[in-house]
Amino acid sequence: MEDEQELPLQPRTQIQGRVLFLTICAAGIGGTFQFGYNLSIINAPTLHIQEFTNETWWARTGWPLPDHLVLLVWSLIVSLYPLGGLFGALLAGPFAIMLGRKKSLLVNNIFVVAAAILFGFSFRAGSFEMIMLGRLLMGINAGVSMNIQPMYLGESAPRELRGAVAMTSAIFTALGIVMGQVVGLRELLGGPQAWPLLLASCLVPAVLQLASLPLLPESPRYLLIDRGDRATCLAALQRLRGTKEVMVELAELEEERAACQGRRARRPWELFKDGALRRQVISLVVLSSAMELCGNDSIYAYASSVFREAGIPQDKVQYAIIGTGCCELFTAFISCMVIERVGRRVLLMGGYCLMTCWGSVFTAALCLQGSFPWMPYLAMSCIFAFILSFGIGPGGIIQLPLCAFPRHLCLWGHLLWFLPP
């Protein structure tokens, strides 16, 4: 009898899992995957872009560009990405309310298409300014999607799966980093002639999202609370859950809608003035600031030189770098599977404690690498251990509290791009 009662529930579970999985993939491929991908692909063509900048200036003026100015131009190309991210974070809130979560992610791909065109034709046009503008546009795209994707998924997922669904943002970020490292290999698009195609390859995730996301439902929360469309909200809930028995969840949204009646969307600085929200906002600021200042990006920056000191040949370092990205991807998957059993606090505190330990050992190894021949190997091991600790803890856990109050995500987005790595 128990088996007979469980059979009708299986198709519902399968439908719910399929629609929710497709929603996660469609949102992630053009969201945090795009963010991680563009973070990593810029490393491979560094020397090629610097040479292109110098040659372009020489062709224009008849004089080579001094080395310090070449470095300045390169620094601008790199830093315009987070600057664009800050602008995108400022746009995310208005986009999410006026266009909706799904349509905002779709419209956001306009920046990617424009940037891909600029990247692809920059070499033929002899313009490094096109690369700079393209990086700014890609930053705006990342700033918008990094805020709206967790909001969209957090509002679409059922309560019991919200933690695991929120972790998928970290998984797609790590996957984007690894894919960028692989595509940037010299054997693929990392060569001296193919770097414009490497930068323009950001168009591929955008096309995949444009082809898949329109087929999936909008956020039920947005449909009911922001648009007041109860019928469409009900249809979206039924499609996401794979069952028509969604009246309890719909009633909860109705209660939230009634509580929000007559209230306007608050600006980030107004959140600090509300005593009922102050603890949430302070928690958000502390957690987000800690993740941005933890030094994970700096560890990635040191990795190449540490690997060379450990004796890895220059032409093999690029493969070791892929290993660092694979570490973060692996731990993101592990964290997604164990988070509901272990708990957020344990993973977060454990990750930070391990990062503190390995960061201290790494610093000591760098200071003593000239004194002991085995110190470079210890430093190399610390890089992998530090990244593993980051992935199992802060790398994905930080976004979980944000999904509990998704309207505050834009404040997190401002901190994400404002604070230095």
Side-chain angles (χ1 to χ4, degrees), residues 45-63:
T46 298
L47 296 178
H48 306 318
I49 294 178
Q50 290 179 354
E51 292 174 0
F52 168 69
T53 301
N54 194 23
E55 292 170 0
T56 300
W57 187 263
W58 200 338
R60 292 178 183 176
T61 65
W63 298 93

Side-chain angles (χ1 to χ4, degrees), residues 105-186:
L105 291 174
L106 293 172
V107 171
N108 192 35
N109 286 297
I110 293 175
F111 298 113
V112 182
V113 174
I117 293 173
L118 290 170
F119 290 146
F121 290 99
S122 59
F123 185 79
R124 288 178 174 269
S127 173
F128 56 83
E129 295 86 355
M130 294 173 67
I131 302 176
M132 298 169 69
L133 180 57
R135 289 285 291 177
L136 180 66
L137 293 176
M138 287 306 305
I140 294 174
N141 169 268
V144 172
S145 61
M146 288 284 287
N147 284 273
I148 294 182
Q149 179 195 337
M151 188 186 302
Y152 175 49
L153 296 180
E155 294 175 353
S156 299
R159 188 183 301 274
E160 64 273 13
L161 296 177
R162 198 164 291 165
V165 169
M167 284 295 300
T168 60
S169 296
I171 292 175
F172 275 100
T173 300
L175 182 60
I177 291 173
V178 173
M179 288 300 299
Q181 292 169 342
V182 172
V183 175
L185 292 174
R186 284 187 294 271

